[in-house]
Amino acid sequence: MAQSIPAKSPGAEIICHDPATGEEIGRAPLVMPEEVARAVGRARAAQPAWAALGFGERGRVVMDARNLILKELEEIAFLISMETGKPVAEAISLELTPVLDLMQFFARKTAKLLGPRRISVGQYWTMGRTSYEIYKPIGVIGIISPWNFPLATPLGEVVMALMAGNTAVLKPSELTPLTGLKIKEVLARAGLPDGVLEVVTGDGSTGAALVGAGVDKIMFTGSVATGRRVAEAAAKYLIPVVLELGGKDPMVVLDDAHISNAARGAVWGAFANCGQSCSSVERCYVHESIAEQFIAEVVKETKRLHQAAGTEKDTDIGSMSSERQLRIVERHVNQAIDHGAVALTGGERLRDMAGPFFPPTVMTGVNHEMDVMREETFGPVLPIMTFKNDNEAVRLANDSQFGLTASVWTRNIARGQELARQIDAGTVMVNEVLYTHGIAQTPWGGMKQSGLGRTHGRAGLLELVRSQHIHVNRVSFLPDLWWFNYTEDAGQLFRGFARRFASGSILQSIPLLPQMIRRWRAPRD
Ligand code: NAD
């Protein structure tokens, strides 16, 4: 067991353990629903003053927090490793580096990304009309996060919400509350005013309480099942949600791919973070003509990996983050083997290790009837199938309820992009895997069951604001031609508008001018 969650009562605590060793590493409060509501109240009270600070001052606080994180990089990476079981090196490469980049990006660029936008109003411009759109903060954002990237995911969401002028209440995963509390501590030390970020540690009931505590929007990252529950609850309170959910991401290796590099990409994409990434390679399809060589390379690369506690030096793969997740992996692998699949590496848990260690497992002989090819495994398993042609590869890649990311591997970049466009996923990479969540500038989010809405980039910021359209008529002395009274002449002009003005062409509209002038000049008695 990674974390012990006691029954809910005032003063109760989550006891946090390192999953690899079972050692207690700290405690966090199990926040009660009444306290969640109070936290939302504090965030609501703090929001107007925070929004009034403007982008520059908000960015300064984020950059100061960034400097503190940078100073304490090793200590924070160690904390993440102890809470999740992942290698310290990976905490730095897959969490700290991307989130430090995200912080500087949104601290510096949000003002521009959310600046007023001029909107072309077509021919209404000839009548002295202009339009623009401005973006106002929504208010209080509820952020609910999973355990697999306990720093990068919640901190990224917090920074975007805050930079957009909102305040936020964060509910980190019950498996990683200490990293969640670290986020608050660092921002507070950087000078974030009280109430601008509240962190409520607890389990699913704390998350459910947050949805109903009067927040204005929920940014949820987690499983499809919980995402659905959150969306149902949010519908009751009529608040919008962004859902970043699970994946079963396919990797398609075409016959002209660079085989050894694709094999290394597959191994990293499937086994980084012990396979516990929403965008892990969970299904691999390789062209039959290169399958033998590709699979041999994948197996060779996999056998090179060193698995040990994440806090040890040179660890490539740590323990899984929880016994519960390991049991899902075991179920998928065992079911596949029972139905004829073969594990070329791994295949069963490491019984000589105390924690939930599952070795990197490469499988062949799999098919789309098996859970390992249909359900999110979220563990270090790489099932490989072959295909005969591009159409079959696309069909297999799209044969899934999920659509988070996908990848196509080929030396022919045009062919890769053509196939990418045919795959239904929020992000499709050509000759790349897994890592684009780390690019703060690019939109992140899924199709199908992988979620609703976007995070990161301008698309992500737009989820965190209310857009307001301002429309100005600079010719304040002229009545509009479509106002009362609907005389016979007016009726003629309206018909002209329908036929000519609505064509979108100024040339077509010019013949209407004399009628327009007549109507403007018509005496009113
Ligand atoms: P989970 O759905 O079990 O939990 C996510 C969060 O929701 C936790 O903080 C949990 O306490 C909270 N929660 C549980 N019940 C709730 C309820 N009824 N109301 C409100 N909150 C509730 O997911 P997990 O096991 O922590 O994370 C793994 C999942 O997250 C995987 O499916 C993975 O693919 C997904 N994920 C998606 C992305 C993405 O960007 N699409 C990123 C990371 C993880």
Side-chain angles (χ1 to χ4, degrees):
M1 133 136 30
Q3 315 313 7
S4 348
I5 315 265
K8 261 201 161 173
S9 60
E13 288 180 319
I14 302 171
I15 304 172
C16 307
H17 301 94
D18 179 340
T21 62
E23 273 169 37
E24 182 179 329
I25 53 171
R27 294 179 179 216
L30 186 59
V31 174
M32 310 291 291
E34 313 82 68
E35 178 48 26
V36 174
R38 282 195 287 273
V40 173
R42 288 192 293 273
R44 169 116 14 242
Q47 196 271 329
W50 175 246
L53 281 184
F55 291 110
E57 190 54 20
R58 297 202 293 267
R60 188 200 58 74
V61 176
V62 169
M63 288 303 279
D64 285 355
R66 185 183 179 280
N67 287 338
L68 290 171
I69 293 174
L70 211 47
K71 275 200 196 117
E72 293 167 21
L73 189 90
E74 297 300 329
E75 182 197 305
I76 296 173
F78 211 78
L79 171 66
I80 295 170
S81 172
M82 281 195 299
E83 243 187 343
T84 60
K86 72 177 72 181
V88 171
E90 213 164 63
I92 294 173
S93 65
L94 282 183
E95 294 224 47
L96 282 145
T97 307
V99 86
L100 287 165
D101 193 20
L102 178 148
M103 291 174 92
Q104 66 78 19
F105 173 69
F106 285 108
R108 293 180 173 140
K109 299 290 185 204
T110 303
K112 182 150 186 268
L113 293 169
L114 290 184
R117 293 227 149 189
R118 184 85 185 261
I119 303 169
S120 162
V121 291
Q123 291 201 75
Y124 290 95
W125 174 79
T126 62
M127 300 177 188
R129 316 302 159 98
T130 51
S131 272
Y132 59 97
E133 199 176 8
I134 59 167
Y135 304 101
K136 297 174 163 185
I138 297 179
V140 182
I141 307 292
I143 298 170
I144 301 177
S145 301
W147 43 265
N148 59 336
F149 292 100
L151 182 80
T153 303
L155 180 53
E157 299 296 329
V158 164
V159 166
M160 285 182 280
L162 265 44
M163 281 309 303
N166 304 288
T167 53
V169 181
L170 165 66
K171 208 302 274 177
S173 167
E174 53 272 45
L175 294 186
T176 54
L178 300 179
T179 310
L181 290 170
K182 187 76 190 170
I183 291 172
K184 169 145 186 186
E185 180 215 300
V186 165
L187 277 156
R189 280 164 53 209
L192 194 75
D194 285 350
V196 173
L197 172 66
E198 296 283 334
V199 176
V200 289
T201 49
D203 58 9
S205 62
T206 312
L210 178 57
V211 179
V215 293
D216 299 301
K217 182 158 187 171
I218 291 286
M219 303 292 289
F220 173 83
T221 311
S223 62
V224 174
T226 312
R228 189 170 285 124
R229 253 176 258 136
V230 167
E232 281 167 9
K236 202 169 105 198
Y237 302 104
L238 219 61
I239 53 170
V241 286
V242 165
L243 302 176
E244 302 292 349
L245 309 178
K248 189 75 192 168
D249 296 2
M251 169 172 180
V252 174
V253 187
L254 301 182
D255 49 4
D256 64 349
H258 189 292
I259 297 177
S260 60
N261 209 44
R264 288 189 67 178
V267 169
W268 185 74
F271 303 141
N273 213 33
C274 212
Q276 302 165 120
S277 306
C278 49
S279 52
S280 290
V281 173
E282 290 236 351
R283 302 177 280 150
C284 185
Y285 304 101
V286 56
H287 191 269
E288 58 182 11
S289 65
I290 57 163
E292 197 180 324
Q293 193 190 341
F294 174 78
I295 292 167
E297 295 262 356
V298 165
V299 168
K300 191 175 82 189
E301 287 296 331
T302 303
K303 287 185 172 161
R304 271 193 229 269
L305 301 175
H306 174 56
Q307 188 163 27
T311 47
E312 280 178 29
K313 282 207 168 73
D314 301 334
T315 297
D316 295 307
I317 302 188
S319 73
M320 299 199 64
S321 295
S322 71
E323 191 63 36
R324 180 172 155 262
Q325 195 57 46
L326 181 138
R327 280 199 289 271
I328 296 171
V329 174
E330 269 183 333
R331 182 162 54 74
H332 287 189
V333 169
N334 290 344
Q335 189 219 38
I337 290 173
D338 288 349
H339 287 81
V342 180
L344 303 178
T345 63
E348 53 183 320
R349 75 177 297 160
L350 301 178
R351 295 192 190 284
D352 50 344
M353 313 275 274
F357 283 87
F358 200 94
T361 297
V362 179
M363 301 190 90
T364 54
V366 292
N367 61 52
H368 277 210
E369 302 294 304
M370 299 172 176
D371 283 352
V372 80
M373 294 300 279
R374 300 207 72 79
E375 304 294 328
E376 188 179 45
T377 305
F378 222 57
V381 181
L382 177 59
I384 307 178
M385 280 175 69
T386 61
F387 62 87
K388 289 186 189 337
N389 55 49
D390 290 5
N391 285 346
E392 189 188 8
V394 170
R395 186 180 58 71
L396 288 166
N398 283 337
D399 179 23
S400 173
Q401 57 179 318
F402 296 103
L404 188 56
T405 81
S407 68
V408 180
W409 292 72
T410 172
R411 289 173 208 248
N412 181 339
I413 302 301
R415 183 183 175 203
Q417 291 178 81
E418 174 53 33
L419 256 66
R421 284 192 285 269
Q422 295 176 43
I423 295 176
D424 297 328
T427 295
V428 186
M429 294 159 267
V430 177
N431 298 324
E432 258 309 341
V433 276
L434 178 73
Y435 89 113
T436 67
H437 189 270
I439 311 176
Q441 290 86 344
T442 56
W444 179 265
M447 293 184 183
K448 301 193 261 187
Q449 301 278 301
S450 289
L452 298 174
R454 290 291 177 269
T455 184
H456 292 182
R458 183 162 187 271
L461 279 178
L462 289 180
E463 300 277 6
L464 295 160
V465 288
R466 294 172 300 164
S467 115
Q468 185 174 46
H469 169 208
I470 309 273
H471 183 72
V472 179
N473 176 7
R474 296 184 188 282
V475 195
S476 59
F477 53 89
L478 271 185
D480 284 352
L481 293 163
W482 48 86
W483 289 357
F484 296 133
N485 294 90
Y486 299 152
T487 60
E488 211 176 318
D489 272 359
Q492 282 309 316
L493 181 58
F494 294 172
R495 284 172 179 80
F497 275 138
R499 294 204 176 88
R500 294 180 167 279
F501 183 84
S503 71
S505 149
I506 290 189
L507 280 181
Q508 284 260 351
S509 304
I510 285 173
L512 296 173
L513 256 179
Q515 272 176 288
M516 291 164 71
I517 292 168
R518 242 194 345 266
R519 181 151 162 80
W520 270 318
R521 286 195 168 161
R524 288 182 70 78
D525 38 37

